[in-house]
Amino acid sequence: MAIIDGKQISTDIKNEVKKEVIELLDKGIQPCLAVILVGENPASQVYVRNKKRACEYCGIKSLSYELPESTSEEELLALIDSLNLDPDCNGILVQLPLPKHIDEDKVLLRIKPEKDVDGFHPYNVGLLSIGKAQLKACTPAGCIELIKRSGVDITGKKCVVVGRSNIVGKPVGMLLLAENGTVITCHSKTKDLAEVCRQADILVAAIGKPKFITGDMVSDGVVVIDVGINRMDDGKLCGDVDFESVEPKASHITPVPGGVGPMTIAMLMQNCLIACKKQKAM
Ligand code: GUN
């Protein structure tokens, strides 16, 4: 049994990015990410701060736009338009959720796909679904890295994804398929969910319900990736997997916190580098 150290793996990835950024700096190129936050959602403020910190660590320049809650959709779209045109800005990230008066889909569509480092633009989702992804959604890509860097070969494995959201469940299923996994995506209407989960060689939990996956729902030797981040009544974080009962059966398992969480930002850094190199034709 091995606990997958997402913190260590994310640091390894950031160090790899940093190394490549140093090489680009030698050529007079510095990747640059624009981070846009609208309003004062405290969780978003923490995420944005961590993203800017990671940029600093990797040598990526970050442009920060912290806009008031009252910002109109037009104003936000105008900012995106100007960043789309700015050749010195390689990546644009609009922190979600946006205030209710702003149409999120419209905003995400406005970001030039080449600068969409979140991988949320339908064009990038489309490339992912045909196995030709350039900028992959960060959390799903992070799940794949955790599996691969733990020495697990996905090819031919039965992969069960629990959850079908557009930001995790669906894209993680497509990435596992691209890695030659045999993929089943389960959701709230799935019949005999426990029985399906027990067939998994690799189980990805992205449901949003604390400790939903229990020990009786997995088979011995399973690889478990827990995407859930749930705040318990006692203030502690827990995943979608009941770690206590699942861990003894798993060959590899991610903890919460310290599993998938840190990977999202590491993959964002990787996407910034990929976007920059592509735009500069490096
Ligand atoms: N809000 C929660 N997670 C994310 C993410 O990965 N990207 C953005 N832009 N907003 C988020």
Side-chain angles (χ1 to χ4, degrees):
M1 189 281 310
I3 294 178
I4 300 176
D5 188 345
K7 211 157 185 274
Q8 182 60 52
I9 295 173
S10 71
T11 302
D12 293 345
I13 291 170
K14 284 189 285 184
N15 285 337
E16 289 161 21
V17 171
K18 186 176 180 169
K19 190 162 165 269
E20 279 204 56
V21 170
I22 290 169
E23 289 167 15
L24 286 178
L25 287 171
D26 270 349
K27 299 184 177 114
I29 295 167
Q30 184 178 29
C32 172
L33 170 68
V35 181
I36 304 173
L37 172 63
V38 185
E40 281 164 20
N41 180 319
S44 291
Q45 286 172 329
V46 173
Y47 286 133
V48 161
R49 194 185 324 132
N50 290 339
K51 287 171 187 178
K52 289 193 286 195
R53 241 183 233 157
C55 281
E56 205 171 313
Y57 181 85
C58 295
I60 294 171
K61 181 177 175 187
S62 69
L63 303 172
S64 180
Y65 298 88
E66 297 187 8
L67 310 176
E69 179 86 19
S70 60
T71 303
S72 69
E73 188 177 279
E74 292 68 33
E75 286 169 316
L76 178 57
L77 293 174
L79 172 60
I80 291 170
D81 288 342
S82 74
L83 291 168
N84 278 339
L85 291 171
D86 181 353
D88 293 329
C89 166
N90 309 117
I92 303 171
L93 181 140
V94 179
Q95 188 63 31
L96 304 177
L98 287 167
K100 284 191 193 64
H101 64 277
I102 299 178
D103 181 346
E104 246 166 45
D105 289 339
K106 203 167 164 185
V107 169
L108 296 179
L109 260 178
R110 196 70 158 246
I111 299 170
K112 218 175 174 182
E114 303 93 283
K115 298 193 179 188
D116 167 39
V117 286
D118 259 328
F120 288 165
H121 192 292
Y123 178 80
N124 284 321
V125 176
L127 286 180
L128 189 75
S129 75
I130 60 169
K132 294 186 176 171
Q134 289 166 2
L135 296 170
K136 301 171 192 165
C138 301
T139 302
C143 295
I144 303 298
E145 284 299 315
L146 287 173
I147 298 168
K148 286 172 84 170
R149 288 179 188 240
S150 301
V152 174
D153 184 8
I154 299 167
T155 299
K157 297 279 162 62
K158 283 197 191 115
C159 306
V160 174
V161 179
V162 189
R164 57 170 155 180
S165 72
N166 289 332
I167 56 168
V168 183
K170 276 184 213 160
V172 99
M174 291 191 288
L175 289 173
L176 288 164
L177 187 58
E179 297 290 337
N180 302 311
T182 301
V183 181
I184 300 177
T185 301
C186 303
H187 45 79
S188 53
K189 302 280 194 293
T190 297
K191 280 193 186 137
D192 303 322
L193 177 67
E195 186 47 41
V196 179
C197 290
R198 279 191 288 270
Q199 292 174 27
D201 299 310
I202 299 173
L203 182 82
V204 179
I207 308 137
K209 290 188 181 155
K211 304 186 184 184
F212 184 84
I213 304 289
T214 47
D216 60 306
M217 295 170 75
V218 299
S219 292
D220 283 328
V222 65
V223 175
V224 179
I225 305 295
D226 187 353
V227 187
I229 302 179
N230 309 287
R231 182 79 62 184
M232 304 298 280
D233 291 337
D234 62 6
K236 284 195 188 138
L237 290 180
C238 86
D240 291 350
V241 174
D242 179 37
F243 192 85
E244 208 178 25
S245 63
V246 173
E247 186 261 352
K249 297 179 92 174
S251 71
H252 301 75
I253 185 167
T254 61
V256 177
V260 174
M263 293 299 289
T264 301
I265 292 185
M267 300 316 289
L268 173 68
M269 297 299 105
Q270 200 179 72
N271 274 348
C272 291
L273 178 65
I274 291 168
C276 175
K277 289 201 291 188
K278 188 111 203 291
Q279 287 160 37
K280 305 287 180 193
M282 304 289 295

